[in-house]
Amino acid sequence: MPTIKLFRKKGWTTRFKVIELYVDGQKIGYISNGETKEFEVAAGQHTLKAKRGWYGSQNFDCNLYNKEIKSLTVSPNAIFVTFFPIFIVCFALLNVYLRGKFKFNET
């Protein structure tokens, strides 16, 4: 049987979150931070997807032959991980700035 071998890079911001793994829409398991897992699947065309919470990867289509090992790396979205903390800081600073600009006066 063909094998799908998945490696998840270690990441600081997502180290406590598991990523759910799907083959052809069926959940086959999960992978933790820095972990490598192997899953046996039937030979043929398959669609792979990784999900964490409400968001996930794009579908990855692959054709697997008998005794073939397909190695893939799963990693978090670098743009989201990089820019989300910056967005939060900017939002907080804007909130502090606007608090001083708008005041209600009694009439």
Side-chain angles (χ1 to χ4, degrees), residues 24-35:
D24 300 327
Q26 300 292 320
K27 185 176 176 182
I28 60 167
Y30 63 90
I31 191 164
S32 298
N33 196 30
E35 192 173 32

Side-chain angles (χ1 to χ4, degrees), residues 8-26:
R8 179 177 169 190
K9 293 181 179 181
K10 286 189 176 185
W12 185 80
T13 57
T14 59
R15 67 185 176 274
F16 299 118
K17 305 282 186 181
V18 295
I19 296 176
E20 297 172 342
L21 304 169
Y22 294 83
V23 173
D24 300 327
Q26 300 292 320

Side-chain angles (χ1 to χ4, degrees), residues 1-6 20-30 37-51 57-64 70 72:
M1 285 188 100
T3 301
I4 298 172
K5 183 177 183 179
L6 297 166
E20 297 172 342
L21 304 169
Y22 294 83
V23 173
D24 300 327
Q26 300 292 320
K27 185 176 176 182
I28 60 167
Y30 63 90
K37 285 203 172 177
E38 294 184 7
F39 301 95
E40 288 188 351
V41 296
Q45 182 73 24
H46 295 286
T47 301
L48 308 174
K49 187 171 184 87
K51 289 179 72 176
S57 69
Q58 294 179 352
N59 289 341
F60 179 80
D61 296 320
C62 62
N63 197 11
L64 298 171
K70 178 69 87 174
L72 301 167

Side-chain angles (χ1 to χ4, degrees), residues 48-99:
L48 308 174
K49 187 171 184 87
K51 289 179 72 176
R52 192 184 85 197
W54 52 271
Y55 65 95
S57 69
Q58 294 179 352
N59 289 341
F60 179 80
D61 296 320
C62 62
N63 197 11
L64 298 171
Y65 301 100
N66 231 2
K67 297 184 181 180
E68 179 182 6
I69 298 174
K70 178 69 87 174
S71 295
L72 301 167
T73 300
V74 179
S75 60
N77 186 339
I79 292 172
F80 178 78
V81 170
T82 302
F83 291 108
F84 187 70
I86 294 170
F87 171 76
I88 294 297
V89 169
C90 290
F91 182 76
L93 290 174
L94 181 63
N95 188 22
V96 169
Y97 174 76
L98 291 178
R99 281 189 183 177

